[in-house]
Amino acid sequence: VVRPTLSDTVLKMPRGAQVIYPKDLGAILIEADIAPGMRVLEAGVGSGALSMALLRAGADVVGYELREDFAERAASNVEAMGVGYSRYRVEIRDVYEGIGEVGLDRILLDLPEPWRVLPHATKALRPGGILCAYLPSINQTSQLRSSMEQHGFGMASSLEVLHRTWHIEDRSVRPDHRMVGHTGFLTTARLLLPFDDPRVLDDPRGQSDSSQSDGPQSDNSQSDNSQSDNSQSDGPQDQSDGPQDGSAEP
Ligand SMILES: C[S@@+](CC[C@H](N)C(=O)[O-])C[C@H]1O[C@@H](n2cnc3c(N)ncnc32)[C@H](O)[C@@H]1O
């Protein structure tokens, strides 16, 4: 007997909403460049599959979810995983109406109209931060990409992950007959603002250590840096409360 992997858990755990498949969870972690200590907003959280992947990667996650029953399900799934529950908070709220956080490193969206979040995301995300949206159709993806251009997001990219397993037995070596043909499209973009934008000048990440900011830099390095902590670095952090805080493999 071996412990279930995160992939096993996501596919078997109790669900309210449809979960993001493991193949896409892996891609999201890389495309959104998730690292320990990052401050991430996730909306909506659904069953918590993406939350679990983010927490296992060491991020601090605030989730917004419309439905109370889904929020409770996500929180209980995260708690059962045994990793990162102390770095997880879910609020019952509509992300289309606004974002309460500022200085976020990443915003991850799995909901039908992510373009409605962009006006709020430009205020909540730090300059250079990454927004990542998961969408089932290319029409939605196209609408999001157009809207991103109008809201100061650049370096955009969209992809889908095709995952084909192989049958390997003696001399029979071939692709499996069946595969999951389509799940969703993944779009990422970065918040790019002019150097004289007040949000760039106010970005606390530009103050403490310019080498740690991946956004446009300001020269206000002497300013008060009241938010100085792990959350301001996008590089690998002290991982003491990171992915290892769960359990060891047998
Ligand atoms: C497909 S599910 C998310 C699944 C989740 N990513 C996972 O891996 O388990 C979409 C969720 O978004 C929520 N949602 C839809 N619109 C929302 C909004 N405006 N604000 C917050 N949550 C929203 C829905 O209630 C639903 O739970």
Side-chain angles (χ1 to χ4, degrees):
V1 177
V2 293
R3 288 178 194 276
T5 62
L6 178 58
S7 174
D8 297 331
T9 305
V10 161
L11 294 174
K12 300 279 184 206
M13 70 188 188
R15 301 178 189 188
Q18 173 67 44
V19 297
I20 295 181
Y21 268 60
K23 73 178 179 72
D24 296 317
L25 292 173
I28 288 171
L29 294 182
I30 292 296
E31 292 296 310
D33 196 32
I34 302 298
M38 282 191 170
R39 296 184 59 225
V40 178
L41 173 78
E42 182 200 352
V45 301
S47 305
L50 179 55
S51 305
M52 291 157 75
L54 295 169
L55 292 162
R56 275 265 302 247
D60 295 345
V61 180
V62 178
Y64 286 5
E65 170 55 53
L66 277 182
R67 288 184 48 168
E68 193 165 355
D69 55 338
F70 286 176
E72 285 169 5
R73 170 63 49 81
S76 71
N77 282 337
V78 166
E79 190 171 19
M81 175 177 69
V83 178
Y85 191 56
S86 63
R87 289 178 276 114
Y88 191 49
R89 186 178 91 238
V90 182
E91 297 182 10
I92 313 297
R93 57 190 285 174
D94 183 345
V95 73
Y96 297 154
E97 292 185 354
I99 296 174
E101 278 62 35
V102 291
L104 292 166
D105 295 297
R106 306 289 183 252
I107 295 179
L108 302 190
L109 305 172
D110 180 10
L111 35 71
E113 299 179 289
W115 48 89
R116 293 178 60 188
V117 183
L118 299 184
H120 313 305
T122 57
K123 296 179 205 133
L125 202 55
R126 66 176 178 76
I130 297 177
L131 182 139
C132 173
Y134 183 76
L135 286 164
S137 87
I138 199 65
N139 312 55
Q140 291 164 297
T141 303
S142 176
Q143 183 162 351
L144 174 64
R145 290 288 300 267
S146 304
S147 193
M148 280 174 154
E149 286 172 19
Q150 294 157 18
H151 285 91
F153 285 90
M155 303 172 72
S157 108
S158 298
L159 61 84
E160 65 176 319
V161 177
L162 302 179
H163 177 119
R164 186 170 71 164
T165 57
W166 282 58
H167 171 92
I168 300 181
E169 194 178 315
D170 301 327
R171 289 202 290 176
S172 171
V173 179
R174 54 164 173 76
D176 280 325
H177 292 132
R178 292 166 192 266
M179 66 186 282
V180 177
H182 176 68
T183 51
F185 298 98
L186 188 57
T187 296
T188 52
R190 306 188 75 156
L191 183 59
L192 303 178
L193 297 170
F195 281 99
D196 57 356
D197 187 290
R199 284 169 283 172
V200 176
L201 298 175
D202 286 347
D203 179 16
R205 299 178 61 115
Q207 297 170 4
S208 56
D209 178 358
S210 60
S211 67
Q212 294 191 5
S213 173
D214 56 4
Q217 298 300 311
S218 62
D219 63 358
N220 51 353
S221 57
Q222 301 306 313
S223 309
D224 171 48
N225 185 3
S226 57
Q227 295 181 33
S228 177
D229 61 25
N230 270 356
S231 68
Q232 297 193 19
S233 168
D234 57 3
Q237 299 296 320
D238 172 4
Q239 299 189 9
S240 55
D241 186 34
Q244 303 88 336
D245 67 351
S247 52
E249 278 292 311

